[in-house]
Amino acid sequence: MSDFIEVVHEYLNLFAYLAVYFLEALSLFCIVCSAIQSMVVAFNKDKNTKKPLLKGLSVALTFKLAAEIARTITVRSLDEIIQIGALIMVKAAITALIHWEWKSKDVMTDLDDID
């Protein structure tokens, strides 16, 4: 029975690592796509160049947060848990700042539309 539990534990760790790498790859893909889209919008002389970038960064940080949460499955020590917890808090704060910037940007474009 003990061997079975160890095998299941190894497969769980392998799946967790694969999930973390997949979520981080999705995060990187979102950042690159939103940066390219933001450059295209900037070259078209549109006023809302930040909007695609902020939206992409928000989605990318969501995937990155999911990866950090999935990484907690493979943690072995309290120090690693504290580090991951601190990373999650920092990334959540950055996500909140991005959403705040996005909302203030929406307000600014709404004010421009009134004139």
Side-chain angles (χ1 to χ4, degrees):
M1 186 68 172
S2 176
D3 293 334
F4 174 72
I5 292 174
E6 288 179 17
V7 169
V8 169
H9 185 262
E10 288 299 318
Y11 280 120
L12 180 65
N13 278 338
L14 177 64
F15 182 72
Y17 281 122
L18 289 175
V20 167
Y21 293 140
F22 178 71
L23 289 169
E24 287 179 347
L26 281 175
S27 175
L28 181 63
F29 180 73
C30 288
I31 291 170
V32 170
C33 286
S34 64
I36 291 170
Q37 184 180 10
S38 184
M39 284 190 294
V40 168
V41 169
F43 287 135
N44 289 334
K45 307 243 191 274
D46 193 2
K47 290 190 298 186
N48 294 327
T49 57
K50 283 187 181 179
K51 208 169 208 178
L53 187 60
L54 288 174
K55 191 175 184 180
L57 288 177
S58 176
V59 172
L61 274 172
T62 304
F63 283 127
K64 191 69 174 151
L65 280 171
E68 292 297 333
I69 292 169
R71 191 176 307 219
T72 60
I73 294 171
T74 62
V75 171
R76 295 281 185 194
S77 69
L78 184 61
D79 290 338
E80 291 177 1
I81 291 175
I82 292 171
Q83 288 175 353
I84 290 174
L87 279 173
I88 288 173
M89 288 176 28
V90 166
K91 289 175 183 174
I94 291 171
T95 302
L97 286 173
I98 287 173
H99 282 292
W100 176 69
E101 175 75 20
W102 191 4
K103 293 292 182 184
S104 68
K105 192 71 177 163
D106 285 342
V107 170
M108 295 304 286
T109 56
D110 290 343
L111 289 176
D112 289 342
D113 292 339
I114 291 173
D115 292 333

